Amino acid sequence: MPAIVTRNLTKSYGKARGIVDVTLTVEAGEVYGFIGPNGAGKSTTIRTLLGFLRPSAGTAQVLGMDAANEGAAIKRRLGYVPGEVHYYDEMRVRSLLEYSMRFYGKLPKFRTFYNYVWRGSGISNASKISRCLFVTSLTIGAFAPISITLSFFSS
């Protein structure tokens, strides 16, 4: 079964078109990326596939589910990290992670918290870093593993 199938997927914003007649199939296990200049429709396509946006025309299926009508079910199965992420400015990294885990009902026992979050991240002193740093103090590169971790909490 293909992981993603779109047929003539179109999203219009009034007279402007975000995407036009996107037809593609991504097989399960394939790695697929969207590359293109700003305004090419990459984010619009992804947000439509995840059910954040409703298509103006065409169809999209993700994991066999209709993106227009089963967006909530799709979001429960997939994680998503948008290109521009904005979190609570005055929140420390640790608080953000704990808040997100509680929101999705995934907060494990405290003793296993850092193993759960940072396993394989390659960040040394993760406990100290996350206790001390505010979200806004991190560079995009330093925040990337945190954003990716957060994307898994919903799935």
Side-chain angles (χ1 to χ4, degrees):
M1 171 176 76
I4 300 170
V5 177
T6 70
R7 297 287 176 253
N8 303 314
L9 190 63
T10 299
K11 176 61 183 170
S12 299
Y13 300 97
K15 293 182 180 181
R17 294 221 170 158
I19 53 175
V20 180
D21 292 330
V22 175
T23 298
L24 64 92
T25 300
V26 179
E27 296 296 334
E30 262 187 312
V31 176
Y32 190 90
F34 289 95
I35 300 172
N38 290 344
K42 303 176 299 289
S43 294
T44 299
T45 302
I46 292 169
R47 290 177 183 145
T48 304
L49 289 171
L50 293 173
F52 290 115
L53 299 174
R54 292 190 61 80
S56 303
T59 61
Q61 287 191 330
V62 178
L63 304 175
M65 295 176 275
D66 180 65
N69 298 310
E70 298 178 89
I74 292 169
K75 287 188 264 303
R76 282 192 294 271
R77 300 275 315 270
L78 301 175
Y80 170 63
V81 180
E84 293 183 19
V85 181
H86 302 284
Y87 296 110
Y88 302 104
D89 292 348
E90 297 301 317
M91 191 175 266
R92 296 185 190 278
V93 173
R94 175 180 171 168
S95 298
L96 173 64
L97 293 169
E98 288 177 346
Y99 169 81
S100 298
M101 292 175 83
R102 279 194 182 97
F103 182 82
Y104 289 108
K106 306 244 174 143
L107 185 64
K109 293 180 181 177
F110 183 78
R111 299 185 96 192
T112 61
F113 175 76
Y114 290 103
N115 284 338
Y116 181 84
V117 173
W118 299 105
R119 183 179 295 135
S121 71
I123 297 175
S124 60
N125 300 318
S127 175
K128 182 179 177 184
I129 290 170
S130 67
R131 263 196 326 268
C132 300
L133 292 179
F134 286 100
V135 170
T136 55
S137 70
L138 299 175
T139 64
I140 293 171
F143 198 75
I146 296 165
S147 293
I148 293 167
T149 300
L150 291 171
S151 76
F152 287 107
F153 293 160
S154 64
S155 58

